[in-house]
């Protein structure tokens, strides 16, 4: 057991991924002479098919910490849904909840699948079943995104699809064909309906008529055109606030809407019948979609571990410039979402994935900077709850640390613009990082630089 990691776990306390026996994080220890028999009994229990099915293989580790005997058990993610005494449980926050509903159990099996469902082969789908008329536009987008040149420019239609991984060989069966990713990205509408009957994205505006909707768009076409339709819907119903970064004016509305929509299209679990949504309300907008969750709970800059749910679709989107490298979308959302509304967005990982972006038409980052209040959160700034302030402060500090690590010569004024805070607020986080020994300033404000110390 790595004692540094163990001490860090003690500082963090119990989470959805770490549990102490006893609870609370206090190290009690066990009798040293009892440890071997406890490990033996544990191994016998998890290997008993009458208790666990499928049976488990775990390796408890006995170690010493401050003269106390402890047992550490690492439980890796499994590709199976395990039952205990023929009952299935799911982890919800810090509790184990019994699952009996068929739909919920089915979602758990989807979540546990080791194979990506986007790779599912459809050998009877032919070239005529795809929207080949979209490929000229795809080539132009890829060329522009590639800085003026791209491999796809010179490839035939079939070679382009093979290059994108949309036509391949299933090594389990030996069959060649188009996969689900190909159908979802470029399929004709009738083919998509046949392959994924429940697929659609329901876009709603609920600002006045909150019981029904003020405007609605139902999108059931391929993902390339779905993004364009949903993005147009977003720009129609969201304010575009003035913001300048460096010498360039940037559309905060476009950045935030784009990242939310790309995420819900790129990382959705398309084998699920759950209907995806994009909803704009008076004080927030959100997307939600079926998901193959890696864990349950909020995603922050501190625990962000990018994982591609549909790597073929994600790679296609990156090639045509709809998205950037894995994980950059969440980081951009935390940065520009705060600039757009004054409040951090929320990312919630579960069988239904959600991104919630607070909205506040009266908020202006430029006005806040002028008043010396950038980054200060109040009950008027999108309804931020006081109980979230501590978590938001931690995320802001981590975000500033990340910006300094990327550019050790960054100035406080540049940090202020980058993270969307007034210089005084940035300085508060810098002092916190300096006092904790995570950064140090080498040299003066002019010509000096930051050094980052990773713990």
């Amino acid at each position: 057991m790595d004692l540094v990691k163990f001490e860090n776990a003690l500082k963090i306390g119990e989470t959805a991924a770490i549990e102490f026996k006893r609870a609370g994080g206090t190290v009690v220890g066990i009798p040293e002479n009892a440890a071997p028999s406890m490990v033996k009994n544990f191994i016998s229990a998890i290997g008993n098919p009458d208790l666990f099915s499928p049976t488990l293989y775990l390796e408890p580790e006995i170690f010493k910490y401050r003269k106390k005997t402890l047992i550490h058990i690492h439980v890796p993610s499994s590709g199976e849904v395990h039952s205990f005494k023929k009952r299935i449980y799911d982890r919800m926050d810090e509790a184990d909840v019994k699952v009996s509903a068929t739909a919920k159990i089915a979602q758990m099996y989807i979540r546990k699948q080791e194979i990506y469902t986007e790779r599912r082969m459809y050998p009877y789908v032919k070239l005529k079943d795809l929207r080949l008329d979209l490929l000229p536009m795809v080539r132009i987008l890829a060329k522009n995104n590639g800085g003026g040149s791209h491999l796809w420019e010179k490839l035939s239609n079939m070679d382009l699809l093979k290059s994108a991984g949309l036509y391949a060989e299933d090594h389990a069966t030996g069959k060649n064909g188009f996969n689900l990713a190909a159908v979802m990205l470029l399929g004709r509408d009738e083919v998509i309906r046949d392959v994924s009957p429940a697929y659609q994205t329901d876009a709603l505006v609920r600002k006045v008529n909150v019981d029904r909707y003020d405007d609605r768009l139902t999108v059931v076409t391929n993902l390339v055109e779905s993004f364009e339709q949903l993005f147009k819907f977003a720009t129609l119903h969201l304010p575009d606030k003035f913001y300048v970064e460096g010498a360039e004016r940037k559309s905060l509305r476009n950045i935030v809407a784009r990242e939310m929509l790309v995420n819900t299209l790129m990382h959705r679990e398309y084998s699920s019948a759950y209907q995806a949504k994009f909803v704009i309300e008076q004080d927030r907008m959100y997307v939600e979609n079926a998901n193959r969750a890696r864990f349950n709970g909020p995603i922050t800059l501190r625990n962000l571990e990018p994982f591609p749910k549909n790597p073929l679709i994600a790679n296609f989107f990156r090639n045509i410039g709809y998205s950037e490298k894995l994980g950059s979308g969440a980081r951009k959302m935390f940065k520009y979402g705060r600039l757009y509304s004054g409040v951090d967005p929320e990312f919630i990982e579960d069988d239904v994935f959600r991104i919630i972006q607070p909205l506040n038409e009266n908020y202006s980052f430029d006005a806040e900077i002028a008043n010396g209040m950038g980054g200060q959160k109040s009950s008027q700034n999108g309804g931020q709850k006081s109980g979230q302030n501590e978590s938001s402060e931690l995320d802001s500090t981590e975000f500033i640390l990340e910006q300094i690590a990327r550019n050790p010569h960054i100035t406080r004024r540049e940090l202020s613009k980058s993270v969307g805070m007034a210089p005084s607020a940035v300085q508060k986080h810098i002092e916190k990082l300096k006092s904790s020994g995570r950064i140090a300033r080498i040299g003066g404000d002019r010509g000096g630089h930051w050094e980052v110390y990773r713990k």
Side-chain angles (χ1 to χ4, degrees):
M1 177 63 185
D2 188 323
L3 292 183
V4 174
K5 290 183 178 180
F6 177 69
E7 289 179 335
N8 288 336
L10 287 179
K11 291 176 183 177
I12 295 171
E14 289 192 323
T15 67
I18 299 173
E19 184 167 344
F20 297 109
K21 300 294 184 186
R22 302 175 181 173
T26 302
V27 179
V28 178
I30 58 174
E32 183 175 1
N33 58 358
S37 61
M38 292 176 69
V39 168
K40 182 178 179 180
N41 291 337
F42 175 83
I43 292 174
S44 297
I46 63 173
N48 185 346
D50 293 330
L51 297 177
F52 290 93
S53 179
T55 54
L56 300 161
Y57 181 76
L58 304 174
E59 294 186 83
E61 178 186 358
I62 301 172
F63 69 102
K64 290 277 191 177
Y65 179 73
R66 295 181 179 177
K67 299 182 179 180
K68 294 179 180 178
T69 302
L70 305 173
I71 299 176
H72 171 251
I73 304 169
H74 172 63
V75 184
S77 297
S78 171
E80 300 281 352
V81 174
H82 296 270
S83 64
F84 176 69
K85 294 184 177 179
K86 299 183 180 179
R87 294 179 179 178
I88 294 174
Y89 295 84
D90 200 7
R91 188 72 171 173
M92 303 293 183
D93 293 328
E94 295 181 13
D96 296 311
V97 179
K98 180 182 172 183
V99 179
S100 56
T102 303
K104 186 68 176 178
I105 293 174
Q107 282 287 349
M108 291 180 68
Y109 276 95
I110 291 172
R111 194 172 75 205
K112 292 288 188 178
Q113 286 178 349
E114 290 292 330
I115 188 169
Y116 295 101
T117 52
E118 66 165 357
R119 296 180 183 273
R120 184 179 296 158
M121 195 73 68
Y122 290 88
Y124 295 106
V125 172
K126 306 300 180 185
L127 269 176
K128 63 181 179 62
D129 297 315
L130 304 181
R131 289 282 306 280
L132 301 181
D133 59 301
L134 294 175
L135 292 184
M137 180 187 74
V138 165
R139 288 186 173 92
I140 292 172
L141 290 172
K143 177 182 177 181
N144 293 341
N145 187 55
S149 64
H150 194 280
L151 172 67
W152 290 356
E153 282 184 89
K154 302 175 182 179
L155 295 180
S156 66
N157 289 345
M158 194 63 189
D159 286 340
L160 187 156
L161 297 170
K162 289 180 178 179
S163 173
L166 306 184
Y167 183 94
E169 179 181 354
D170 185 341
H171 293 284
T173 64
K175 295 180 179 178
N176 295 317
F178 292 104
N179 50 34
L180 179 62
V183 175
M184 301 311 302
L185 282 165
L186 297 167
R188 296 187 179 277
D189 291 356
E190 61 273 18
V191 178
I192 293 174
R193 281 197 303 271
D194 181 58
V195 167
S196 183
Y199 161 70
Q200 73 176 53
T201 305
D202 205 10
L204 301 168
V205 176
R206 289 180 177 144
K207 292 185 176 181
V208 179
N209 191 343
V210 295
D211 293 327
R212 295 180 181 269
Y213 52 83
D214 308 328
D215 195 9
R216 181 179 185 178
L217 173 68
T218 301
V219 179
V220 293
T221 193
N222 61 81
L223 298 186
V224 172
E225 292 183 317
S226 287
F227 172 75
E228 299 292 342
Q229 293 181 21
L230 290 166
F231 185 73
K232 184 177 180 180
F233 184 86
T235 58
L236 179 65
H237 293 288
L238 293 170
D240 194 12
K241 300 177 182 180
F242 182 81
Y243 174 71
V244 174
E245 188 170 82
E248 179 185 0
R249 184 183 185 278
K250 290 197 172 185
S251 171
L252 298 175
R253 175 200 64 192
N254 289 2
I255 294 172
V256 172
R258 173 188 178 221
E259 296 303 333
M260 292 180 70
L261 295 171
V262 164
N263 195 292
T264 194
L265 294 174
M266 191 166 66
H267 298 305
R268 186 182 307 179
E269 178 49 59
Y270 287 101
S271 66
S272 171
Y274 187 86
Q275 183 173 309
K277 301 178 184 67
F278 171 49
V279 181
I280 301 173
E281 298 177 342
Q282 193 67 42
D283 60 352
R284 68 171 187 169
M285 63 175 170
Y286 64 90
V287 292
E288 59 181 39
N289 56 266
N291 180 45
R292 189 147 48 94
R294 301 291 291 176
F295 69 95
N296 301 97
I299 296 174
T300 68
L301 286 172
R302 300 177 71 202
N303 68 359
L304 177 64
E305 294 183 4
F307 179 81
K309 309 295 178 61
N310 295 306
L312 293 177
I313 294 174
N315 185 61
F316 194 92
F317 271 26
R318 282 194 291 272
N319 271 285
I320 62 177
Y322 281 9
S323 69
E324 299 175 19
K325 67 179 182 179
L326 191 64
S328 64
R331 291 185 174 89
K332 289 178 73 173
M333 277 292 299
F334 277 109
K335 174 183 176 181
Y336 293 105
R338 184 190 298 122
L339 292 171
Y340 190 55
S341 68
V343 183
D344 287 332
E346 295 179 64
F347 288 70
I348 302 171
E349 175 84 347
D350 208 330
D351 289 331
V352 175
F353 180 82
R354 293 178 177 88
I355 303 176
I356 304 170
Q357 170 63 50
L359 296 176
N360 183 357
E361 293 193 9
N362 297 322
Y363 176 82
S364 167
F365 171 71
D366 290 313
E368 293 292 296
I369 286 293
N371 295 328
M373 295 172 60
Q376 301 297 318
K377 298 175 176 59
S378 69
S379 59
Q380 296 176 348
N381 283 346
Q384 176 77 347
K385 298 178 181 178
S386 60
Q388 296 175 330
N389 288 343
E390 183 179 352
S391 175
S392 181
E393 284 288 304
L394 289 170
D395 288 343
S396 298
T397 302
E398 292 296 323
F399 192 70
I400 287 172
L401 179 64
E402 181 182 337
Q403 298 302 307
I404 291 173
R406 288 182 176 182
N407 180 10
H409 297 280
I410 194 169
T411 66
R412 289 174 175 82
R413 183 174 294 277
E414 290 170 338
L415 271 172
S416 173
K417 297 290 287 183
S418 178
V419 302
M421 293 183 183
S424 59
V426 169
Q427 184 61 31
K428 181 181 70 172
H429 291 287
I430 286 176
E431 292 302 326
K432 186 186 298 184
L433 290 166
K434 288 168 69 176
S435 64
S436 64
R438 302 185 73 183
I439 63 171
R441 183 70 184 178
I442 309 299
D445 289 341
R446 292 187 177 182
H449 68 278
W450 299 101
E451 285 196 358
V452 176
Y453 305 107
R454 299 292 186 185
K455 287 191 175 183

